[in-house]
């Protein structure tokens, strides 16, 4: 388990404040942010490895948070404590709250990525905002169960005009001042299964979104408070002794309280026939227009599923969205599944045959699907599904229109047949029998064994002479026939 060196808390503080160097003990803190470093106050203690995420808060109003209450070392902010800390955002001014919600984030990300890539600082805008805001607060460790239900808590705590921000257009805020505004910005996911460069680019892009929206609000003179947090931690594997084994397995659905939102369910009559869940559901059109459908599908459902079809043989999940972004009036996503009997396994298998994206009821993009199948009694689960060749389950363009779309789905789970009790059945996972490391070990071992076998064979072929020369006797004569 990793341990913090004595300068680690001060180094983290310097990183968040943008100083780029650790603050020496006794030196005054820069003005501006009010920091709670409860989990990092004492050196020499193990770093937290629990299920917690950081939460960054800032506001255009002064003295929003009182720095006097201090948290003890190792403390994780609970849901009740977070509710108390969030009370200032419900004050009459400011009347607007922005929630930047990311799928994964940990406090280690701030130091790891800021230090590992030199001048590429993926949190530059966040650091500048924390320095320049009249009041701000950094909570290094908040119980992720609290952040998963943060949006629901905010909705229940005030009479908000709820808006899912997809195109970062805030022109409507000035016109609507009768009720406070709650803006939800679902940031791009961090693809932990791929290279760290891809993760760094995703973080930098999210940082730009936060900076651009914050700057627009300030330029318009709109008073606001903002929260930047995540649903679950991103770097647990760096702080625990957990060994991640890639293997094909049948695994149960996660417990209900571990899911940030309920899955989409299609019910015909009294029977639920389709269940669909994703941690992040995003599209990109023409390599420029980013469309995040996570909020509209799961968090605050604003999707039409009435065109979905169910039968014992063919099932279609239809998700229709109205004006998901500027320039697109309607968008429909279709997941087309079949249930067939295969004699080789003597059982029925459900297969996701294709995915279709219909834009404005005219342009149809079709994708063939690889590796998405499961026994008909089970659901299918995969950590990453999309158009990238690096994903375990791929969507392969089958027409020219499909080449204009990029699809990203994380924590994908789908069941189109034999749904019981409105819950997912056991899940057949997309992970293969052998990981790349196992294949490398097997190939290397085979080559070494072949070399060893060849060497032993050559040694066994060596023979000794049947006769030897005697230097004191006559010369040995060996006939040609022998």
């Amino acid at each position: 388990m990793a341990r913090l060196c004595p300068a680690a808390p001060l180094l983290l503080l310097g990183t968040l404040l943008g100083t780029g160097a650790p603050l020496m003990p006794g030196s005054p803190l820069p003005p501006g942010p009010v920091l709670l470093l409860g989990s990092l106050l004492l050196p020499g203690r193990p770093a937290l490895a629990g299920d917690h995420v950081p939460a960054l808060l800032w506001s255009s109003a002064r003295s929003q948070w009182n720095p006097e209450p201090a948290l003890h070392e190792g403390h994780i902010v609970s849901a009740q404590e977070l509710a108390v800390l969030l009370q200032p955002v419900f004050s009459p001014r400011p009347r607007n709250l922005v929630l930047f919600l990311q799928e994964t984030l940990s406090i280690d990300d701030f130091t790891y990525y800021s230090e590992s890539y030199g001048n590429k600082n993926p949190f530059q805008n966040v650091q500048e905002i924390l320095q320049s805001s009249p009041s701000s607060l950094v909570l290094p460790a908040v119980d992720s169960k609290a952040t998963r239900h943060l949006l629901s808590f905010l909705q229940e705590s005030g009479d908000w005009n709820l808006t899912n921000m997809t195109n970062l257009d805030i022109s409507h805020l000035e016109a609507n001042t009768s009720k406070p505004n709650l803006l939800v910005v679902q940031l791009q996911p961090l693809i932990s299964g791929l290279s760290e460069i891809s993760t760094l680019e995703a973080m930098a892009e999210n940082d730009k979104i936060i900076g651009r929206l914050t700057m627009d609000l300030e330029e318009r003179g709109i008073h606001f408070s903002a929260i930047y947090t995540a649903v679950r931690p991103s770097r647990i594997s760096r702080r625990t002794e957990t060994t991640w084994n890639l293997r094909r397995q049948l695994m149960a659905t996660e417990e209900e309280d571990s899911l940030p939102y309920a899955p989409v369910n299609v019910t015909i009559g009294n029977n639920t026939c389709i269940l669909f869940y994703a941690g992040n559901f995003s599209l990109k059109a023409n390599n420029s227009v980013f469309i995040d459908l996570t909020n509209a599908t799961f968090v605050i459902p604003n999707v039409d599923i009435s065109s979905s079809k169910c039968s014992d043989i063919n099932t279609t999940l239809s998700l229709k969205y109205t004006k998901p972004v500027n320039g697109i009036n309607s968008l429909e996503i279709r997941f087309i599944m079949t249930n067939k009997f295969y004699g080789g396994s003597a059982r029925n298998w459900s297969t996701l045959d294709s995915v279709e994206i219909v834009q404005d009821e005219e342009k149809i993009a079709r994708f063939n699907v690889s590796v998405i199948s499961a026994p008909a009694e089970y659901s299918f689960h995969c950590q990453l599904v999309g158009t990238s060749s690096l994903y375990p389950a791929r969507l392969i363009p089958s027409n020219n229109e499909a080449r204009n779309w990029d699809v990203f789905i994380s924590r994908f789970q789908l069941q189109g047949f034999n749904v019981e009790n409105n819950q997912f059945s056991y899940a057949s996972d997309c992970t293969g029998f052998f990981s790349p490391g196992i294949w490398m070990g097997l190939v290397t071992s085979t080559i070494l064994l072949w070399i060893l076998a060849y060497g032993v064979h050559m040694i066994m072929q060596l023979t000794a002479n049947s006769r030897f020369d005697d230097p004191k006797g006559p010369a040995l004569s060996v006939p040609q026939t022998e």
Side-chain angles (χ1 to χ4, degrees):
M1 183 174 293
R3 291 180 179 269
L4 294 174
C5 64
L10 297 177
L11 175 60
L12 176 60
L13 177 56
T15 301
L16 288 175
L17 293 176
T19 61
L23 299 178
M24 299 309 297
S27 60
L29 297 179
V34 177
L35 300 173
L36 291 181
L37 296 175
S39 64
L40 300 170
L41 289 178
L42 293 179
R45 296 295 298 274
L48 292 176
D51 193 13
H52 57 78
V53 298
L56 312 183
L57 301 85
W58 63 91
S59 176
S60 59
R62 295 186 178 276
S63 302
Q64 285 283 85
W65 293 281
N66 184 2
E68 292 181 0
L71 302 178
H72 61 79
E73 184 269 338
H75 183 75
I76 298 177
V77 177
S78 64
Q80 293 78 9
E81 292 170 330
L82 182 62
V84 175
L85 293 171
L86 290 179
Q87 287 305 311
V89 305
F90 304 119
S91 59
R93 292 184 65 88
R95 298 277 295 175
N96 304 294
L97 176 62
V98 184
L99 175 61
F100 296 102
L101 194 58
Q102 196 164 284
E103 185 181 0
T104 60
L105 185 68
S106 291
I107 196 67
D108 290 342
D109 293 335
F110 291 95
T111 52
Y112 179 81
Y113 288 104
S114 298
E115 296 173 1
S116 300
Y117 296 95
N119 296 328
K120 295 182 179 180
N121 183 2
F123 300 102
Q124 180 178 355
N125 289 310
V126 172
Q127 291 176 357
E128 292 177 355
I129 291 170
L130 290 176
Q131 293 183 59
S132 60
S133 296
S135 62
S136 60
L137 178 68
V138 174
L139 300 174
V142 179
D143 190 349
S144 60
K145 291 183 179 179
T147 59
R148 285 171 190 153
H149 303 287
L150 178 58
L151 181 58
S152 300
F153 167 75
L154 293 174
Q155 289 180 264
E156 296 171 357
S157 301
D159 187 14
W160 303 93
N161 284 322
L162 185 62
T163 304
N164 288 315
M165 300 292 291
T166 55
N167 54 7
L168 303 183
D169 181 14
I170 60 173
S171 58
H172 64 284
L173 292 184
E174 295 177 326
N176 190 357
T177 57
S178 59
K179 295 171 62 178
N181 295 282
L182 174 58
L183 311 180
V184 180
V185 181
Q186 189 79 26
L187 299 174
Q188 294 189 39
L190 308 182
I191 310 174
S192 58
L194 303 183
S195 67
E196 291 183 344
I197 298 296
S198 300
T199 303
L200 181 73
E201 293 174 351
M203 284 185 173
E205 184 63 27
N206 290 342
D207 183 69
K208 292 178 182 178
I209 293 174
I210 294 173
R212 184 162 65 249
L213 182 58
T214 301
M215 183 179 297
D216 289 345
L217 291 170
E218 292 175 348
E219 289 178 352
R220 293 174 177 268
I222 298 175
H223 295 283
F224 70 98
S225 295
I227 305 172
Y228 175 32
T229 188
V231 174
R232 56 191 177 93
S234 62
R235 305 187 68 83
I236 288 182
S237 60
R238 294 181 182 273
R239 294 293 181 230
T240 65
E241 298 175 356
T242 304
T243 301
W244 294 96
N245 298 317
L246 287 173
R247 61 189 182 277
R248 185 175 183 86
Q249 58 181 342
L250 297 177
M251 60 184 185
T253 309
E254 297 180 5
E255 296 180 4
E256 183 178 357
D257 60 355
S258 66
L259 299 179
Y261 29 72
V264 171
N265 67 83
V266 176
T267 302
I268 297 180
N270 296 325
N271 298 322
T272 299
C273 57
I274 303 176
L275 290 176
F276 170 58
Y277 174 82
N280 187 282
F281 185 21
S282 306
L283 309 176
K284 183 178 286 187
N286 301 315
N287 291 323
S288 58
V289 181
F290 182 76
I291 308 173
D292 190 345
L293 301 175
T294 309
N295 285 338
T297 308
F298 303 102
V299 182
I300 310 168
N302 187 21
V303 58
D304 180 12
I305 58 175
S306 59
S307 298
S308 300
K309 301 176 182 179
C310 294
S311 71
D312 294 335
I313 300 175
N314 299 297
T315 295
T316 300
L317 171 61
S318 173
L319 305 174
K320 288 185 178 180
Y321 307 88
T322 302
K323 293 184 177 180
V325 293
N326 289 339
I328 299 179
N329 293 324
S330 66
L331 190 67
E332 182 181 5
I333 319 295
R334 299 171 184 161
F335 296 88
I336 301 173
M337 296 167 280
T338 57
N339 182 13
K340 296 181 180 179
F341 178 82
Y342 291 87
S345 60
R347 70 186 310 167
N348 284 62
W349 286 75
S350 63
T351 305
L352 179 61
D353 293 327
S354 62
V355 175
E356 296 180 353
I357 301 177
V358 183
Q359 177 183 344
D360 298 329
E361 299 182 356
E362 296 179 356
K363 302 177 181 180
I364 301 178
R366 292 186 176 88
F367 299 87
N368 294 326
V369 183
S370 67
V371 198
I372 299 186
S373 61
E377 298 82 8
Y378 301 133
S379 63
F380 177 84
H381 175 274
C382 196
Q383 188 65 24
L384 293 173
V385 176
T387 51
S388 173
S389 60
L390 299 175
Y391 295 168
R394 288 193 59 199
L395 304 182
I396 304 171
S398 62
N399 63 358
N400 292 331
E401 190 64 33
R403 303 183 189 278
N404 298 325
W405 290 90
D406 292 321
V407 182
F408 174 83
I409 309 175
S410 68
R411 301 175 67 189
F412 174 88
Q413 190 164 5
L414 179 67
Q415 184 171 355
F417 303 96
N418 302 309
V419 178
E420 296 181 359
N421 300 323
N422 199 26
Q423 293 181 346
F424 281 112
S425 302
Y426 285 99
S428 177
D429 199 80
C430 64
T431 303
F433 285 101
F434 298 99
S435 69
I438 293 177
W439 277 115
M440 293 171 61
L442 289 175
V443 172
T444 303
S445 300
T446 302
I447 294 174
L448 292 177
L449 287 174
W450 184 86
I451 294 174
L452 177 62
Y454 179 78
V456 171
H457 175 74
M458 293 299 295
I459 291 174
M460 293 177 65
Q461 296 301 313
L462 295 177
T463 58
N465 294 332
S466 59
R467 300 177 184 178
F468 298 92
D469 277 332
D470 184 1
K472 296 180 179 181
L476 180 65
S477 176
V478 179
Q480 292 286 340
T481 58
E482 291 190 15

